[in-house]
Amino acid sequence: MIDISVNNEPKCVEAEKPLAELLAEWGFECQRVAVAVNEDFVPRSSYGSVCLNAGDRIDVVAPVQGG
Amino acid sequence: MSDTWTLYGATFNSRLLIGSALYPSPQVMSDAIAASGAEIITVGLRRQSPEEAGGQSLWTHIQKLNKTLLPNTAGCHSVKEAVTLAQMSREMFETDWIKLEVIGDDYNLQPDPIATVEAAEKLTGLGFKVFPYCTDDLVICQRLRDVGCEVLMPWGSPIGTGRGLMNPYNLQTIRERIPDMPLIVDAGIGKPSHAVMALELGYDGILLNTAVAQANEPVRMAEAFRHALLAGRSACLAGAMPERQTASPSTPTLGMPFWHQS
């Protein structure tokens, strides 16, 4: 297990699980979101192959109103 | 008479770009945007928890409007943040248009001109069509053009202040020195008269949000801006009279009764 943060909230996850599985566990499956890891964009096509490292900072964003 | 304009190859009738934030309700937002006549609306991305359903509600409203979307990088303070958020926006909104904002100072939300140029260069290299929010500095505008921006968006005054055009001279200088690029006044517009003034200066369009969203009656104010943009644009095309230092009567002086040679 490794410690990471998701949207600045601490989480403990299995290191070998790909991002796609983790997003589903966290409840983001089927939602319109975009993801960055350590401030680097992660394209949707990579969710199945990307695994996380201890200390990674994950950002999950969705559309909001904007000016 | 058709009077369209073109942004990165896409042609529009309305010269208003409008934000989707700060309205009293989603319904008022939809009604105000419809009343404004705007064809381009700005949107953003923010962290969401799963319970918030990933912005689905907003997304449904936005999609129903059937407008061209201009995602922003609002709140970014570095080149890295802005480039990453732009990439996330491109995937999310399925557009390579990006309103580039790199904030340099939190007090007046002034764009960081140096970081904005650097981010614009990176983004154009990545295939983005960049709409840079910038200060009214001629040389920064020229640098943004040089790195591949085909539209420039200097501020009128700081975001959300509603103070209008703080420095019409600077804005006019940019227009005169960069005559062939679409120029949009972004930020600081508070009243329709400010929008008229910008278009009279020769600006091609206006981007605003708070002026409509925070008006007492947003839908009515949106309509007022629609008229203002038409008025300002017509005035620009018509060509204003030159200002004069001294008075000059409108009614003929020849034949004036009661006049006697003294």
Side-chain angles (χ1 to χ4, degrees):
Chain A
M1 300 293 278
I2 52 169
D3 290 320
I4 59 163
S5 75
V6 180
N7 289 347
N8 207 33
E9 297 287 330
K11 278 195 190 296
C12 192
V13 300
E14 290 175 47
E16 62 276 12
K17 273 197 183 174
L19 187 57
E21 278 186 44
L22 293 171
L23 285 169
E25 272 180 25
W26 299 332
F28 289 111
E29 200 182 25
C30 307
Q31 291 192 13
R32 203 176 172 87
V33 295
V35 175
V37 176
N38 301 328
E39 295 184 16
D40 281 320
F41 170 58
V42 179
R44 202 173 288 144
S45 56
S46 311
Y47 291 175
S49 56
V50 167
C51 287
L52 300 174
N53 297 306
D56 278 352
R57 303 180 309 278
I58 324 303
D59 278 289
V60 184
V61 299
V64 295
Q65 304 90 329
Chain B
M1 186 180 68
S2 167
D3 176 37
T4 58
W5 63 316
T6 301
L7 298 166
Y8 286 105
T11 301
F12 299 94
N13 292 296
S14 169
R15 291 171 179 272
L16 181 61
L17 294 79
I18 195 163
S20 55
L22 303 172
Y23 294 87
S25 71
Q27 190 57 52
V28 172
M29 174 191 79
S30 298
D31 293 345
I33 290 172
S36 76
E39 296 164 282
I40 301 168
I41 58 177
T42 52
V43 290
L45 284 179
R46 284 294 179 265
R47 284 174 170 167
Q48 298 275 299
S49 65
E51 300 77 47
E52 289 168 302
Q56 288 304 320
S57 166
L58 170 82
W59 185 243
T60 307
H61 264 279
I62 300 263
Q63 276 184 314
K64 276 187 195 158
L65 295 170
N66 199 26
K67 304 288 186 190
T68 299
L69 297 183
L70 177 57
N72 67 33
T73 64
C76 288
H77 285 73
S78 69
V79 174
K80 171 79 173 165
E81 287 176 5
V83 170
T84 299
L85 197 56
Q87 291 173 304
M88 296 166 99
S89 290
R90 178 157 64 180
E91 182 182 77
M92 176 69 68
F93 297 109
E94 295 169 359
T95 176
D96 48 14
W97 281 23
I98 192 74
K99 174 184 164 180
L100 174 61
E101 281 186 54
V102 188
I103 298 301
D105 187 282
D106 282 328
Y107 179 72
N108 64 354
L109 297 178
Q110 178 173 332
D112 178 331
I114 295 146
T116 300
V117 172
E118 195 183 324
E121 185 167 22
K122 287 207 163 121
L123 288 169
T124 52
L126 291 167
F128 283 90
K129 297 180 167 70
V130 180
F131 292 65
Y133 165 57
C134 56
T135 50
D136 54 6
D137 182 297
L138 170 64
V139 177
I140 290 296
C141 286
Q142 289 169 329
R143 294 287 179 274
L144 287 164
R145 176 196 58 192
D146 295 345
V147 299
C149 296
E150 294 181 21
V151 180
L152 299 170
M153 303 207 298
W155 67 353
S157 46
I159 297 170
T161 60
R163 297 173 72 91
L165 310 187
M166 280 186 310
N167 198 327
Y169 174 80
N170 277 8
L171 291 171
Q172 191 166 12
T173 304
I174 295 166
R175 176 73 290 174
E176 285 167 5
R177 295 288 294 149
I178 307 179
D180 300 324
M181 270 176 78
L183 295 180
I184 297 168
V185 171
D186 177 11
I189 298 293
K191 299 171 191 163
S193 54
H194 300 153
V196 173
M197 193 174 170
L199 267 72
E200 284 173 350
L201 286 178
Y203 275 66
D204 299 282
I206 297 293
L207 198 165
L208 60 81
N209 191 155
T210 316
V212 166
Q214 301 279 286
N216 288 339
E217 294 184 45
V219 179
R220 182 174 285 194
M221 188 57 87
E223 202 170 324
F225 271 102
R226 182 165 60 83
H227 292 303
L229 284 153
L230 292 172
R233 178 63 183 167
S234 288
C236 174
L237 294 174
M241 61 164 278
E243 283 189 24
R244 285 191 288 239
Q245 188 60 35
T246 53
S248 175
S250 305
T251 307
T253 47
L254 191 66
M256 176 64 199
F258 323 125
W259 179 83
H260 299 283
Q261 193 154 25
S262 51

